[in-house]
């Protein structure tokens, strides 16, 4: 495991009116660098943050990059109505 992978954080966002996951906020590490950049419209660097949303067909849209986790969470709050985040164990 690379040094950057040890700092991997994955937060799942929820609205209060449903228990369904609305989005994921995470940081870019070596572990997900290639996948994030393949799915994103913008280029991401290690240690940047993103917010992702999957539709009913499991198509993923990546938003960002953001400088901080809080910036990515704020985007989710404003655009998806997310009210709470929960740390998720990573794969």
């Amino acid at each position: 495991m690379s040094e950057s992978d040890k700092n991997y954080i994955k937060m799942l966002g929820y609205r209060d009116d449903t228990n369904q996951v609305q989005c994921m906020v995470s940081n870019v590490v070596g572990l997900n660098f290639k996948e994030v950049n393949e799915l994103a419209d913008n280029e991401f660097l290690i240690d940047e943050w993103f917010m992702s949303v999957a539709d009913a067909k499991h198509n993923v849209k990546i938003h960002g990059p953001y400088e901080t986790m809080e910036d990515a969470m704020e985007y989710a709050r404003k655009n998806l109505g997310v009210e709470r985040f929960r740390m998720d164990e990573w794969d």
Side-chain angles (χ1 to χ4, degrees):
M1 177 182 289
S2 77
E3 191 62 35
S4 75
D5 293 344
K6 293 177 185 176
N7 298 320
Y8 180 59
I9 297 172
K10 182 166 107 176
M11 305 288 291
L12 301 179
Y14 299 86
R15 291 191 326 243
D16 285 342
D17 62 345
T18 179
N19 285 328
Q20 285 189 305
V21 173
Q22 302 299 303
C23 68
M24 179 182 81
V25 168
S26 186
N27 56 332
V28 180
V29 296
L31 177 75
N32 63 5
F33 177 81
K34 183 177 178 182
E35 182 179 17
V36 168
N37 278 294
E38 286 174 355
L39 293 171
D41 294 333
N42 301 313
E43 185 175 345
F44 286 76
L45 303 173
I46 298 289
D47 293 330
E48 291 182 320
W49 290 84
F50 65 93
M51 191 277 292
S52 63
V53 180
D55 65 18
K57 295 182 181 181
H58 302 285
N59 297 311
V60 176
K61 174 71 175 162
I62 304 255
H63 300 271
Y66 303 101
E67 288 187 28
T68 67
M69 177 175 57
E70 290 77 16
D71 291 341
M73 289 176 163
E74 186 60 26
Y75 183 87
R77 286 183 185 101
K78 287 181 179 177
N79 292 282
L80 301 175
V82 171
E83 296 158 311
R84 57 188 157 79
F85 290 89
R86 185 181 80 213
M87 180 83 81
D88 188 52
E89 295 298 321
W90 56 285
D91 312 315

